[in-house]
């Protein structure tokens, strides 16, 4: 790989990681790891207000991390990119699934407080 391509990829990776560097967004992504969810579902599961959930989903969608499917008036969200699915699989194992990692409880507590 040439240096210019490496620099471009590093910028893309930094943007991707910046989107993940948010406890509320990670909480939403953890809840969407293996299922589609509506804004209402996510608000109920996370304890976040619906406007907060919508705002965070909008950011994730703009960056291509989630995609939508409309069913009547309900919009369902799911992980979109392969990179997001692969990274979330690792994060889910260590943080979302409650695999005994004390940082997982901290992540969920911080995200729910927002």
């Amino acid at each position: 790989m040439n240096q210019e391509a490496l620099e471009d990829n590093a910028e893309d990776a930094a943007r991707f990681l910046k989107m993940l560097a948010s406890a509320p967004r990670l909480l939403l992504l953890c809840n969407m790891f293996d299922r589609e969810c509506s804004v209402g579902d996510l608000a109920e599961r996370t304890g976040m207000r619906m406007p907060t959930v919508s705002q965070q989903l909008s950011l994730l969608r703009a960056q291509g991390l989630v995609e939508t499917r409309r069913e009547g008036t309900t919009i369902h969200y799911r992980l979109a990119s392969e990179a997001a699915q692969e990274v979330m699989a690792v994060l889910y194992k260590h943080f979302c699934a409650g695999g005994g990692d004390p940082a997982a409880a901290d992540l969920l507590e911080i995200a729910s407080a927002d």
Side-chain angles (χ1 to χ4, degrees):
M1 178 178 291
N2 69 38
Q3 187 62 31
E4 188 174 318
L6 182 60
E7 289 172 8
D8 289 344
N9 288 339
E11 288 297 322
D12 290 342
R15 279 190 293 278
F16 175 79
L17 292 172
K18 184 177 180 181
M19 289 305 298
L20 297 181
S22 160
R25 286 193 291 269
L26 282 173
L27 184 59
L28 294 173
L29 291 167
C30 280
N31 275 281
M32 288 186 285
F33 174 67
D34 59 354
R35 67 180 75 84
E36 287 185 331
C37 297
S38 68
V39 172
D41 293 337
L42 290 167
E44 185 177 317
R45 287 184 186 164
T46 64
M48 285 189 264
R49 296 177 314 122
M50 287 182 64
T52 302
V53 172
S54 293
Q55 179 185 30
Q56 296 303 320
L57 289 171
S58 177
L59 292 170
L60 291 167
R61 186 173 181 206
Q63 292 299 312
L65 275 71
V66 298
E67 59 190 14
T68 60
R69 176 182 64 83
R70 181 177 290 276
E71 185 176 298
T73 59
T74 304
I75 299 175
H76 298 273
Y77 290 82
R78 66 182 170 274
L79 293 177
S81 75
E82 184 178 339
Q85 292 169 357
E86 290 176 5
V87 169
M88 285 310 301
V90 172
L91 292 174
Y92 190 88
K93 176 183 173 188
H94 293 284
F95 295 99
C96 304
D101 191 332
D106 293 343
L107 171 69
L108 297 175
E109 183 178 319
I110 291 167
S112 294
D114 287 344

